[in-house]
Amino acid sequence: VVDALYQTTQRLMTDTGDAVIRLTAASYDSAAETYTVCFGYYLDGMPICLEGGYAAEYTVTSGKITRAQLRLRQYQLTGETEVSLSGPQAAALVCADGGRKLMRVYQDNGETLSVAWRITPLWSKQ
């Protein structure tokens, strides 16, 4: 299921620029026989967090796509740099917040892309 959806996503998102599409989350609800599969954009190895959700999100019930939502974007590396928190500063935030997982990401708010630190639970679905 995941491989077929990945191939479909690649065909639909033919021009992502320098970004690539990767599997971000997948779950299965056995009672409803429903898969939920999500793909995200990655730029230069870092995930891009979209304000509205995932790059592509599919719901598959009994072998058929029952819902598909795609957010088409194109990203280009420009060579510009952006200053964000240093590693030790970011680590201090994690310690102050109870020792969660720290991840450096690109944050896409629909108009601009910026580097950010994201603090998530150690066991997160994202």
Side-chain angles (χ1 to χ4, degrees), residues 18-38:
D18 292 327
V20 296
I21 300 291
R22 292 187 185 160
L23 177 66
T24 303
S27 62
Y28 178 67
D29 179 347
S30 59
E33 294 184 28
T34 300
Y35 290 92
T36 301
V37 180
C38 304

Side-chain angles (χ1 to χ4, degrees), residues 2 14-15 25 28 30 33-35 41 46 51 54 66 91 119:
V2 172
T14 58
D15 192 10
Y28 178 67
S30 59
E33 294 184 28
T34 300
Y35 290 92
Y41 290 108
M46 284 180 20
E51 193 169 271
Y54 298 97
T66 54
I119 299 172

Side-chain angles (χ1 to χ4, degrees), residues 5 35 48 63 68 80 86 90 116:
L5 292 173
Y35 290 92
I48 299 173
E80 293 179 33
S86 69

Side-chain angles (χ1 to χ4, degrees), residues 30-104:
S30 59
E33 294 184 28
T34 300
Y35 290 92
T36 301
V37 180
C38 304
F39 297 95
Y41 290 108
Y42 286 75
L43 184 62
D44 200 25
M46 284 180 20
I48 299 173
C49 296
L50 298 171
E51 193 169 271
Y54 298 97
E57 184 174 352
Y58 300 94
T59 302
V60 179
T61 306
S62 300
K64 296 180 182 174
I65 297 174
T66 54
R67 181 179 176 272
Q69 185 172 15
L70 284 81
R71 292 174 177 83
L72 304 176
R73 299 280 195 280
Q74 184 183 65
Y75 298 98
Q76 301 297 323
L77 290 170
T78 63
E80 293 179 33
T81 59
E82 182 177 323
V83 177
S84 65
L85 291 176
S86 69
Q89 289 172 320
L93 282 176
V94 171
C95 289
D97 195 36
R100 296 176 184 224
K101 184 170 101 176
L102 178 67
M103 196 166 72
R104 197 167 176 181

